[in-house]
Amino acid sequence: MKELRDGNVLKIGELAARAGLTVRALHHYDSIGLLKPSGRADSGYRLYNRDDVARLHHIQTLRRFGMSLADIATFLASPDAPFADIVAQQIAALGKQIEQATTLREQLTRLQQVLSRGDSPELSDWLRTLEMMDLYDKYFTREELKRLPFWQQDARRNAAWAALVAEVEALMAQGVPPDDARAGELSERWMRTLQHDTAANPEFARRITVMLEREVKAQQQTRITPALREYVSAAMSARRLGIYARYLDADELRTMRANSGKNQEEWMALIAGVHQHVEDGIAPDAPSAQALARRWMALFLAQIGGDPATLAKIRTAHDLEPALLSASWVTPAMLDYVRTSYATLA
């Protein structure tokens, strides 16, 4: 739109043609007070001068940013409002729109993949999948979701988890105690599957656990209720205590059994913290590593009763029994890291 020289005016039709607008749009701008002509001809035609054209420039620019007419009016009514702030706000808004569009594109791509295999998912199944995706978005970033197998929601993985849940439900319905060998074997498979589907990342596992604790919808759709998770956890604990029994006396084992299951949330956070330190290559003598090691040893000593002799037996068990660390998200490298870090405190 060409600007006017001082003293020149445009009729409404001329301004509309130059600005690429309709006369009706300019009438509307006038009626809401957004752009009022500075004068009128004797015939009644609206006349727009250079300042009016400049204001229309601002209006059109802000409209391209996606601002509503009401917001534009508010902005133009504040002459001291920094235009850079508006640009920053619109960039942020566009970023959100891009993120939402990317999410939708990924969801549609997944539906296309299902359909390309000749499968015809029920509408209710697809809606449940979308709901679960929305839940995951609350606990993971987009980059994290790309690394999280659990989020893929493919039919094979869903079927495997449904089968595991059904097996646990069956044992619970039959009254099979958690310390039964069948429950222990099933809990081992459960934890191995969970470790795989969280990319062996304990922080991902921690957030999945938090999601299942807080989100009733997630519990309903997966059938992984608090009672079911407690049963699996108790069965896994009993399975590991059975291995420790080869190395500990009756009193030591009784202490460990009494303390089993305590501080689970803190343990998960500690394991995730140590894992991240190892991944990031942070030195064991770094203050943050020492803080993790100090709390780790404090919790562990409390769990085993604080006897150094028991601690030595536990370490021997860990060295000789790989099953103790199986599906625990704790690796030998992480244990070495904690021990090395703790030694630096002395």
Side-chain angles (χ1 to χ4, degrees):
M1 185 172 69
K2 296 180 180 179
E3 295 195 13
L4 298 176
R5 294 180 179 178
D6 291 336
N8 290 348
V9 294
L10 289 175
K11 293 181 180 179
I12 189 169
E14 295 171 326
L15 178 60
R18 289 197 183 188
L21 296 170
T22 64
V23 170
R24 175 180 291 183
L26 292 176
H27 281 164
H28 179 60
Y29 289 176
D30 186 2
S31 67
I32 63 176
L34 184 60
L35 178 65
K36 286 188 169 296
S38 295
R40 286 184 181 267
D42 293 339
S43 59
Y45 284 113
R46 294 172 173 83
L47 299 176
Y48 296 86
N49 63 17
R50 182 175 180 177
D51 290 340
D52 299 333
V53 173
R55 184 178 175 88
L56 182 57
H57 264 299
H58 283 100
I59 293 170
Q60 289 182 293
T61 300
L62 294 172
R63 284 292 283 167
R64 291 192 184 97
F65 283 167
M67 289 183 67
S68 67
L69 294 179
D71 288 340
I72 292 174
T74 300
F75 175 76
L76 294 179
S78 305
D80 296 332
F83 196 74
D85 288 353
I86 295 296
V87 175
Q89 292 173 12
Q90 295 309 309
I91 289 174
L94 285 172
K96 186 65 176 178
Q97 292 173 16
I98 291 171
E99 181 180 342
Q100 292 171 342
T102 300
T103 299
L104 178 59
R105 184 180 185 279
E106 291 174 355
Q107 293 172 345
L108 291 175
T109 299
R110 300 157 79 72
L111 177 58
Q112 182 185 45
Q113 291 171 348
V114 172
L115 296 175
S116 67
R117 294 196 299 264
D119 299 331
S120 297
E122 295 290 339
L123 177 60
S124 59
D125 293 337
W126 181 242
L127 290 176
R128 281 196 296 270
T129 297
L130 292 180
E131 288 175 349
M132 286 302 296
M133 288 180 177
D134 289 339
L135 285 178
Y136 282 121
D137 283 338
K138 292 172 60 177
Y139 294 89
F140 299 91
T141 67
R142 303 306 301 173
E143 289 302 314
E144 289 172 336
L145 286 173
K146 292 177 182 178
R147 309 196 323 262
L148 182 67
F150 226 140
W151 183 72
Q152 301 306 317
Q153 293 290 308
D154 60 86
R156 182 177 300 177
R157 178 172 288 105
N158 288 345
W161 273 105
L164 278 173
V165 170
E167 287 187 68
V168 177
E169 289 174 335
L171 290 183
M172 294 174 67
Q174 295 167 22
V176 176
D179 59 0
D180 185 281
R182 290 169 293 174
E185 185 277 331
L186 179 54
S187 70
E188 177 80 18
R189 283 194 286 122
W190 179 288
M191 299 305 287
R192 282 201 306 268
T193 304
L194 181 58
Q195 185 168 18
H196 174 271
D197 283 354
T198 54
N201 187 321
E203 173 58 21
F204 289 175
R206 187 191 70 80
R207 284 188 236 166
I208 289 287
T209 301
V210 172
M211 184 182 76
L212 288 171
E213 288 175 348
R214 295 179 180 176
E215 305 291 347
V216 175
K217 185 176 293 184
Q219 296 174 20
Q220 293 171 341
Q221 293 198 14
T222 63
R223 304 205 317 273
I224 302 177
T225 63
L228 189 143
R229 287 191 298 105
E230 184 177 346
Y231 181 88
V232 172
S233 178
M236 194 65 192
S237 179
R239 187 175 180 83
R240 288 178 179 147
L241 284 171
I243 299 175
Y244 282 127
R246 305 168 190 166
Y247 300 86
L248 306 179
D249 61 34
D251 288 338
E252 292 169 327
L253 197 61
R254 191 178 301 111
T255 298
M256 286 198 69
R257 184 175 290 109
N259 292 321
S260 177
K262 292 182 179 179
N263 303 307
Q264 285 190 344
E265 290 185 13
E266 188 168 2
W267 269 119
M268 290 180 67
L270 275 172
I271 292 170
V274 172
H275 172 269
Q276 195 60 52
H277 272 59
V278 172
E279 288 289 302
D280 293 342
I282 298 175
D285 61 353
S288 59
Q290 291 176 329
L292 287 172
R294 184 183 293 110
R295 187 55 187 156
W296 184 295
M297 294 303 294
L299 281 181
F300 196 71
L301 287 171
Q303 183 176 340
I304 67 175
D307 188 342
T310 305
L311 179 59
K313 295 179 184 179
I314 293 291
R315 287 180 172 175
T316 299
H318 284 168
D319 291 340
L320 300 177
E321 302 285 354
L324 285 172
L325 298 183
S326 175
S328 68
W329 288 267
V330 178
T331 65
M334 290 169 62
L335 285 181
D336 288 342
Y337 184 87
V338 171
R339 293 170 184 171
T340 302
S341 181
Y342 191 73
T344 66
L345 294 171

